[in-house]
Amino acid sequence: MTIHPDGIPPHGGQLINRVVTPEEKQEYLQKADTLPRVQLDDRAFSDLVLIAIGGFSPLTGFMEQKDYETVVTDMHLQNGLPWAIPITLSVTPEVAEPLNEGSWVRLDDPQGRFVGILELTQKYQYNKTHEVKNVYRTDDEKHPGVKVVYEQGEVNLAGPIWLLQRDPHPLFPNYQIDPADTRAAFKEKGWKTIVGFQTRNPVHRAHEYIQKCAMETVDGLLLHPLVGATKSDDIPADVRMRCYEIIIEKYYPQDRVMLAINPAAMRYAGPREAIFHAILRKNYGCTHFIVGRDHAGVGDYYGTYDAQYIFDEFEPSELGIVPMKFEHAFYCKLTGGMATAKTSPSKKEDRIHLSGTKVREMLRSGQLPPPEFSRPEVAAELAKAMQIQQ
């Protein structure tokens, strides 16, 4: 892999910026009341923002039908570039019917505020069952990603977008570091190789172990928790962020870790989402990406390491980011430290690892997970949050 002076090239070679200038914003605001409106849900708003700030480079808007179809069927854009998840704006036929291709559409956020413009180039119907079977490997409506597709509109609106302004995140303004800024920060720190870590869960000892294994071979770690829409039973983002702050302050070298939020919504698409997350981190400037056990999975829909195997379906030069594949880590009683099956001679009874469900049960009942599973300060923070929620 070639490391460029300004860091790893973005996917497709150019970091996209679709945030308008203040002058352009005023022009759009003057037209606001004359434009047809489409209101975005939380996921579509996250997608709008990520397209605009370059996180979804090379996309400049919501996918037209040819890109949509090639992504769904074989994980590539029409131009041959790898892409694993369709990025679409789906609406009902009633919303789509009065909209004319070639016109501008006003995009409002979930609260009804004017936040963006869609240059509508296409509106098309699509096959929901075909999409979910390919992207999620199931058509089971109990799968949270499948459920979203089945509940969304039957018509996709496509075309380039513009974001009117980049607002600070309401909860984490200090950690809102967009791709152009992470890249600049990496360059300032002198980091040539950076490993990204995706998580929607509070960090525990197994996470810490694989992150630090990866850090032994690169210059820096981008701890990049997802704070967009997730399942209702996932730990809230503000609680997770406090846990990350605690563990970085106490257990990591301060000069080799950067904490920044990932504004994406969770799809729970397992293997395909692992590819998607890797490309996203490439756009943020990462050269390496950690892929652990059941990455982006949910329930029992995917095999334990399917999200690692899918990287073998691409040539390394196609993705342009190096996957770092880790097995399930645990505390080994025999060796007295964190390990995986690759490095530990232990049997099942000698290993301490707890399911997320088990940890939540313990916290709700006032018990703290053992220090072999979770750092005590992190466990205490989670317990406090759980008690407040009850």
Side-chain angles (χ1 to χ4, degrees), residues 69-207:
E69 289 176 351
T70 56
V71 166
V72 168
T73 54
D74 70 3
M75 294 188 291
H76 286 79
L77 297 168
Q78 190 188 4
N79 64 8
L81 203 63
W83 195 272
I85 299 285
I87 303 299
T88 56
L89 175 55
S90 303
V91 299
T92 64
E94 293 75 20
V95 170
E97 197 278 328
L99 304 177
N100 297 313
E101 293 179 357
S103 65
W104 286 358
V105 177
R106 166 179 166 168
L107 301 178
D108 288 357
D109 71 8
Q111 288 72 46
R113 296 172 297 203
F114 181 19
V115 292
I117 290 286
L118 170 68
E119 300 174 29
L120 183 62
T121 58
Q122 224 179 46
K123 51 182 182 177
Y124 59 94
Q125 293 186 320
Y126 64 103
N127 185 324
K128 292 185 179 186
T129 304
H130 179 67
E131 176 176 329
V132 298
K133 283 184 174 179
N134 278 271
V135 174
Y136 297 99
R137 300 188 180 183
T138 178
D139 58 359
D140 184 354
E141 294 182 31
K142 294 177 182 175
H143 184 294
V146 172
K147 184 173 183 285
V148 168
V149 174
Y150 280 155
E151 290 178 350
Q152 69 193 20
E154 293 78 25
V155 180
N156 285 340
L157 305 180
I161 59 88
W162 290 101
L163 184 69
L164 292 196
Q165 65 184 46
R166 182 70 170 115
D167 292 323
H169 193 280
L171 295 178
F172 317 114
N174 294 338
Y175 294 113
Q176 180 173 285
I177 311 173
D178 291 342
D181 300 315
T182 53
R183 287 169 165 273
F186 298 157
K187 187 174 182 180
E188 184 179 338
K189 292 173 183 291
W191 294 357
K192 295 261 190 332
T193 52
I194 304 97
V195 63
F197 185 80
Q198 151 72 30
T199 176
R200 70 175 196 273
N201 295 310
V203 66
H204 52 68
R205 293 289 299 275
H207 292 148

Side-chain angles (χ1 to χ4, degrees), residues 197 199 223-227 240-241 244 259-262 281:
F197 185 80
T199 176
L223 185 56
H224 208 208
L226 182 145
V227 298
R240 290 185 277 126
M241 288 297 289
Y244 304 139
L259 175 63
I261 56 172
N262 169 17
R281 278 21 181 259

Side-chain angles (χ1 to χ4, degrees), residues 93 96 144-145 157 208 211 232 244 258 283 295 355 386-387:
L157 305 180
E208 182 185 337
Q211 289 167 18
S232 59
Y244 304 139
M258 180 186 295
N283 285 329
H295 184 104
S355 69
M386 283 288 188
Q387 298 307 311

Side-chain angles (χ1 to χ4, degrees), residues 201-255:
N201 295 310
V203 66
H204 52 68
R205 293 289 299 275
H207 292 148
E208 182 185 337
Y209 174 72
I210 63 176
Q211 289 167 18
K212 287 181 174 176
C213 285
M215 288 171 69
E216 292 286 2
T217 64
V218 297
D219 298 329
L221 166 70
L222 176 64
L223 185 56
H224 208 208
L226 182 145
V227 298
T230 59
K231 295 190 284 89
S232 59
D233 61 345
D234 280 346
I235 301 291
D238 60 329
V239 177
R240 290 185 277 126
M241 288 297 289
R242 287 200 298 275
C243 293
Y244 304 139
E245 289 173 332
I246 289 167
I247 203 163
I248 289 173
E249 180 185 347
K250 292 185 174 290
Y251 296 103
Y252 283 71
Q254 302 288 301
D255 60 345

Side-chain angles (χ1 to χ4, degrees), residues 25 35 39 41 57-58 158 185 226 237 243-244 259 288 298 306 344 370:
K25 178 186 173 184
L35 298 175
Q39 186 162 3
D41 60 16
S57 298
L226 182 145
C243 293
Y244 304 139
L259 175 63
H288 296 70
V298 64
D306 283 357
S344 168

